[in-house]
Amino acid sequence: SVTHLLERSVALYPDTPVVMYREHAEDDTITKTYAELSADVAALRQGLFTQGYGDAGIKIAVIGENSYTWMLAYLAAMTGNA
């Protein structure tokens, strides 16, 4: 599962860079490690649960441009109960 893959990657490679991105073309590159990615996903997942999106049967659509935020939303939805 996606949850298992993320957890395993964090356990094996916590300080390894997993993604590099820029918020805007003129910005410096931001690098996130597996541990940072996992923490960001957990925070967003908790926010979704707080808003009631962790209940069984709830569907979540992730629509947007390729971005770190999109990836977080996808992973939070896939690693939760939604």
Side-chain angles (χ1 to χ4, degrees):
S1 72
V2 173
T3 301
H4 176 74
L5 290 173
L6 182 58
E7 289 173 352
R8 185 170 187 269
S9 295
V10 171
L12 292 173
Y13 316 108
D15 300 321
T16 300
V18 64
V19 65
M20 296 171 55
Y21 66 97
R22 293 182 181 162
E23 293 287 333
H24 304 283
E26 66 276 1
D27 291 346
D28 289 336
T29 301
I30 299 168
T31 302
K32 294 285 188 168
T33 65
Y34 278 102
E36 292 168 327
L37 172 64
S38 180
D40 290 347
V41 168
L44 180 54
R45 185 174 54 241
Q46 182 59 44
L48 291 171
F49 285 171
T50 299
Q51 296 297 315
Y53 290 101
D55 299 333
I58 296 291
K59 306 288 190 256
I60 297 175
V62 180
I63 301 170
E65 297 180 13
N66 288 342
S67 66
Y68 185 70
T69 305
W70 187 96
M71 183 173 60
L72 287 181
Y74 175 80
L75 290 171
M78 293 300 293
T79 60
N81 292 330

